[in-house]
């Protein structure tokens, strides 16, 4: 066997790459991790973590408004964007340090710089070439910006976390996770938000009842939601931006943000040149063991465009490290992966939507409950919670659980375990509720809809 400099060379220190590197190192492998930007990748620096901190910040607006019904007089609240960003940046810096220590304590070497594949077993970085028995590509994804005139005047989520000041008016383009989350953030912090989406409902792929309910809820909050609409050009005008729509109408704004999907970061570092096959979208083609078309090169996370979620990238990286170095070969089960959207109100899902279940199963039973949460009986807020179970009528198994309403992500995480275990509707029914909670509705729905 040839002598390599490393057993495992990981390109990209995001959530997936760091997990793979750390676990491989604890299994005794000689590991190097190359990173050109920031430790922790998108999730830690310009994704999940800072996004959730901004969501928390924006939710105070609701809390102040809701307080009066409970007897509080809050006065006129004021908000300081630069204080929020400063505190957020300090927390992210702390996490960068945590990631660095995780790697070095496990014995992995961090190499800062832009790495390039230089063959099936070679990586070039900072002018030096290192050889490795296995190479892992974990370079994630990057925001996609539509090619329209003036697109360069717009920002993406990358820049949204570092704006010098909070805009008073924002146009957000897109109808996916990032678009609806940032619409809620900017709106909650006091900006006037226009959300422009080309489809006829937000969040394609989610259960239709949730998609429709979310549209209604965010409109009711005062977000100007324009469906079946597209921005065709952006121009600067009198110190503002002007977004032109397909119907030639215009929206004047301070900021335009594209949240129109992300593409795999697979170009410009020797991937194709090394013989690694990419699909039409530029994702690295991998087998279920995350192996690419080159025997010694693997890929995980957003780069492979399987399920683009941090916990999935982490699980893929962990499984790969266990397989290659831990004598424990395993692959990931992609069924019943839960996810949440931190919109306002938030929503979350696990398993199949009603439409997917109807395609897959002969008979499908649907249980639904829509209600005003107890808290809002006094706050006066007109916000409804919706919960829905999708059941395979033949086996009685719950194959989908969906919710829009406060704490949806926290609640669906628990239900995801039940679905993973194959729980039936009868077992949901036999479970005693916790009263008074919203979550108890999931075990008290008896009426098929
Ligand atoms: P999504 O793929 O979720 O959504 C992209 C949106 O942009 C869709 O509504 C799509 O419309 C629309 N779109 C795509 N191209 C164009 C275009 N040319 N013009 C107008 N609209 C367009 O991507 P996001 O950017 O929101 O997020 C990327 C990924 O990151 C997500 O898929 C998710 O996996 C992950 N993520 C997860 C989060 C979480 O778990 N909470 C939070 C944030 C991101 P259409 O539906 O018609 O295709």
């Amino acid at each position: 066997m040839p002598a390599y400099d490393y057993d495992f060379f990981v390109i990209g220190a995001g959530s997936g790459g760091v997990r793979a590197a750390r676990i491989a190192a604890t299994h005794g492998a000689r590991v190097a991790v190359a990173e050109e930007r920031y430790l922790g990748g998108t999730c830690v620096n310009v994704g999940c973590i800072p996004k959730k901190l901004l969501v928390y910040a924006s939710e105070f607006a609701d809390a102040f408004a809701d307080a009066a019904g409970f007897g509080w007089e809050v006065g006129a609240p004021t908000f300081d964007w630069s204080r929020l960003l400063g505190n957020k940046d300090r927390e992210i810096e702390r996490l960068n340090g945590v990631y660095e220590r995780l790697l070095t304590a496990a014995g992995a070497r961090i190499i800062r710089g832009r790495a390039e594949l230089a063959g099936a077993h070679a990586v070039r970085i900072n002018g030096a070439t290192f050889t490795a028995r296995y190479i892992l590509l974990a370079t994630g994804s990057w925001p996609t910006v539509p090619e329209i005139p003036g697109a360069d005047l717009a920002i993406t989520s990358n820049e949204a976390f570092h704006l010098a000041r909070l805009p008073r008016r924002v146009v957000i383009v897109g109808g996916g996770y990032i678009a609806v989350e940032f619409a809620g953030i900017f709106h909650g912090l006091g900006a006037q938000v226009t959300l422009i989406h080309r489809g006829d409902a937000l969040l394609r792929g989610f259960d239709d009842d949730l998609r429709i309910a979310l549209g209604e809820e965010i409109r009711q909050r005062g977000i100007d939601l324009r469906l079946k609409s597209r921005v065709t050009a952006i121009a600067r005008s009198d110190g503002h931006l002007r977004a032109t729509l397909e119907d030639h109408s215009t929206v004047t704004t301070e900021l335009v943000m594209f949240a129109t999907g992300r593409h795999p970061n697979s170009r410009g570092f020797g991937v194709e040149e090394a013989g690694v096959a990419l699909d039409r979208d530029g994702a690295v083609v991998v087998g279920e063991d995350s192996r690419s078309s080159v025997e010694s090169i693997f890929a995980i996370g957003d780069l492979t465009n399987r399920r683009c979620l941090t916990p999935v990238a982490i699980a893929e990286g962990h499984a790969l490290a266990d397989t290659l170095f831990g004598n424990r070969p395993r692959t990931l089960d992609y069924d019943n992966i839960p996810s949440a959207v931190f919109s306002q109100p938030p929503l979350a899902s696990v398993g199949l939507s009603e439409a997917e279940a109807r395609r897959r199963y002969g008979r499908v039973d649907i249980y639904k409950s829509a209600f005003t949460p107890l808290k809002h009986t006094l706050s006066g807020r007109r916000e409804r919670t919706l919960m829905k179970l999708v059941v395979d009528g033949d086996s009685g198994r719950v194959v989908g659980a969906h919710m829009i309403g406060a704490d949806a992500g926290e609640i669906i995480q628990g239900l995801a375990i039940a679905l993973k275990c194959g729980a039936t509707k009868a077992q949901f029914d036999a479970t005693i509720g916790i009263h008074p909670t919203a979550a108890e509705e999931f075990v008290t729905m008896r009426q098929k809809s």
Side-chain angles (χ1 to χ4, degrees):
M1 195 158 72
Y4 297 112
D5 297 323
Y6 292 100
D7 299 312
F8 198 39
F9 200 110
V10 180
I11 303 181
S15 309
V18 166
R19 176 61 68 90
R22 184 168 67 81
I23 301 302
T26 55
H27 287 316
R30 296 168 309 141
V31 179
V33 190
E35 175 55 58
E36 65 170 331
R37 204 167 286 116
Y38 24 53
L39 291 178
T42 301
C43 175
V44 167
N45 294 277
V46 286
C48 331
I49 300 298
K51 178 276 306 289
K52 188 90 185 268
L53 294 174
L54 298 193
V55 168
Y56 283 132
S58 65
E59 285 173 347
F60 281 92
D62 280 5
F64 295 135
D66 292 348
F70 293 91
W72 289 92
E73 283 310 324
V74 183
T78 59
F79 170 70
D80 185 339
W81 171 252
S82 54
R83 195 194 317 158
L84 170 63
L85 287 207
N87 289 344
K88 181 267 293 178
D89 287 342
R90 259 190 301 285
E91 173 56 13
I92 302 308
E93 238 179 87
R94 189 186 70 80
L95 290 173
N96 295 146
V98 168
Y99 271 66
E100 181 165 359
R101 282 191 296 280
L102 276 178
L103 285 170
T104 47
R109 176 184 172 198
I110 300 169
I111 307 176
R112 307 264 183 175
R114 183 167 174 81
E116 266 183 49
L117 265 184
H121 292 279
V123 176
R124 208 169 21 242
I125 182 165
N126 304 332
T129 300
F130 297 97
T131 58
R133 182 169 168 209
Y134 299 121
I135 295 169
L136 173 62
L137 308 176
T139 49
S141 61
W142 199 252
T144 303
V145 172
E147 286 175 19
I148 59 166
D152 54 315
L153 297 172
I155 65 158
T156 67
S157 51
N158 281 349
E159 294 75 38
F161 292 104
H162 300 106
L163 294 174
R165 61 193 188 82
L166 179 68
R168 272 163 308 193
R169 277 175 298 174
V170 184
V171 166
I172 299 178
V173 185
Y177 285 79
I178 297 177
V180 298
E181 291 180 341
F182 270 92
I185 288 169
F186 285 125
H187 175 76
L189 296 179
Q192 198 182 313
V193 176
T194 307
L195 178 57
I196 299 176
H197 175 43
R198 65 183 180 185
D200 55 8
L202 298 165
L203 294 178
R204 186 156 57 85
F206 279 83
D207 187 89
D208 286 339
D209 282 327
L210 258 55
R211 302 176 68 200
I212 292 163
L214 178 65
E216 287 167 359
E217 290 290 345
I218 67 175
R219 269 198 176 125
Q220 182 164 283
R221 283 171 167 261
I223 291 172
D224 178 7
L225 172 62
R226 317 253 184 118
L227 295 172
K228 295 194 223 163
S229 183
R230 284 171 193 264
V231 173
T232 53
I234 305 165
R236 225 184 261 292
S237 133
D238 298 334
H240 294 284
L241 294 178
R242 204 180 53 235
T244 304
L245 310 189
E246 239 169 353
D247 62 4
H248 305 297
S249 65
T250 59
V251 182
T252 301
T253 184
E254 246 176 79
L255 184 78
V256 179
M257 173 174 162
F258 282 116
T260 42
R262 299 175 63 89
H263 56 272
N265 248 337
S266 57
R267 315 266 183 205
F269 64 104
V271 172
E272 282 170 292
E273 294 78 351
V276 173
L278 304 181
D279 71 11
R280 263 183 29 202
D281 299 323
V284 174
V285 178
V286 288
E288 58 174 19
D289 57 354
S290 294
R291 194 187 295 266
S292 77
S293 56
V294 176
E295 183 85 12
S296 54
I297 300 179
F298 296 80
I300 55 166
D302 285 10
L303 182 63
T304 62
N305 213 1
R306 287 176 278 186
R307 285 295 306 273
C308 297
L309 297 168
T310 293
V312 174
I314 290 173
E316 288 167 348
H318 202 134
L320 178 65
D322 281 351
T323 302
L324 295 179
F325 304 107
N327 210 8
R328 202 181 145 219
R330 61 196 182 86
T331 57
L332 216 66
D333 174 5
Y334 290 85
D335 280 343
N336 290 319
I337 291 174
S339 82
V341 185
F342 298 98
S343 47
Q344 292 170 21
L347 64 84
S349 276
V350 59
L352 304 179
S353 66
E354 179 177 345
E356 285 168 328
R358 289 201 188 283
R359 279 195 291 274
R360 196 176 300 189
Y361 296 103
R363 189 159 68 83
V364 172
D365 294 331
I366 301 296
Y367 297 84
K368 271 196 247 188
S369 177
F371 55 95
T372 299
L374 179 60
K375 181 178 177 186
H376 298 319
T377 57
L378 292 203
S379 75
R381 179 174 296 282
R382 285 176 53 212
E383 184 180 294
R384 305 272 289 165
T385 290
L386 172 70
M387 291 171 171
K388 180 168 176 179
L389 289 176
V390 180
V391 178
D392 167 18
D394 292 329
S395 67
R397 271 183 47 232
V398 178
V399 294
H402 311 279
M403 170 174 177
I404 177 167
D407 303 319
E410 309 289 342
I411 293 169
I412 291 293
Q413 178 67 86
L415 290 193
I417 303 171
L419 265 72
K420 202 77 192 158
C421 296
T424 62
K425 179 67 170 60
Q427 288 168 321
F428 271 61
D429 294 348
T431 304
I432 302 293
I434 299 176
H435 189 69
T437 62
E440 69 179 315
E441 282 295 313
F442 272 120
V443 296
T444 55
M445 289 189 253
R446 296 287 185 270
Q447 205 64 41
K448 286 181 200 168
S449 69

